[in-house]
Amino acid sequence: MTTLPECPSCSSAYTYEDGALYICPECGNEWSQAEPHSADTESVVRDAFGNVLQDGDSVTVIKDLKIKGSSSVVKVGTKVRNIRLVDGDHDIDCKIDGIGAMQLKSEYVKKA
C-alpha cells in the first residue's frame, strides 16, 4: 500500500489521487504529483491589492465585517495597527480598538 502525502495547505491525511493530481477533500486543495512537497517555503501574505504584508504593519479594513457570535461589525475604514501574521485561513492576528483581539483575512484589508 502506498502512502499519499499530506495536504500542503491544511495538513490533512485524507488526500487521494485523481489522475495526475492529489486532492484534499477537507479544504479542496489540488496539487500536482510532480510538485515537490516543501513545508520549508515561507508563504507571502498579500493584502487585497497585492501589497506584501509584514508583522507590525498597519492595515485598513475595506469591507464591513460581521463578527461571528456578536451583533457588532468592524466598519469600513477601521485602521488596525501592529498586525501579526499567522498561518491558517485567517492570516492576520490583531487587536481592534473597541472590539478586542481577533483574526482577519488578508483579502479584506489594505496596507496603510
Side-chain angles (χ1 to χ4, degrees):
M1 182 174 171
T2 62
T3 57
L4 298 174
E6 292 183 347
C7 175
S9 180
C10 70
S11 300
S12 171
Y14 301 111
T15 58
Y16 63 91
E17 289 182 81
D18 185 18
L21 295 176
Y22 289 123
I23 300 175
C24 175
E26 292 187 5
C27 70
N29 186 28
E30 298 179 359
W31 68 100
S32 172
Q33 293 178 6
E35 290 178 15
H37 175 53
S38 174
D40 298 335
T41 59
E42 190 172 316
S43 63
V44 176
V45 178
R46 297 182 183 271
D47 69 359
F49 299 101
N51 300 318
V52 177
L53 297 174
Q54 297 177 349
D55 285 344
D57 282 347
S58 294
V59 295
T60 304
V61 177
I62 61 169
K63 177 183 175 187
D64 282 345
L65 302 173
K66 294 180 182 178
I67 300 173
K68 190 173 186 177
S70 174
S71 61
S72 22
V73 175
V74 178
K75 296 283 189 180
V76 171
T78 301
K79 189 166 185 178
V80 181
R81 294 179 188 86
N82 199 18
I83 64 169
R84 192 180 74 186
L85 302 178
V86 294
D87 290 334
D89 187 29
H90 292 74
D91 43 16
I92 297 174
D93 197 19
C94 62
K95 194 174 194 180
I96 299 176
D97 293 336
I99 296 174
M102 66 182 316
Q103 292 185 332
L104 301 171
K105 290 186 177 184
S106 59
E107 62 198 54
Y108 298 123
V109 300
K110 70 176 180 180
K111 193 170 184 176

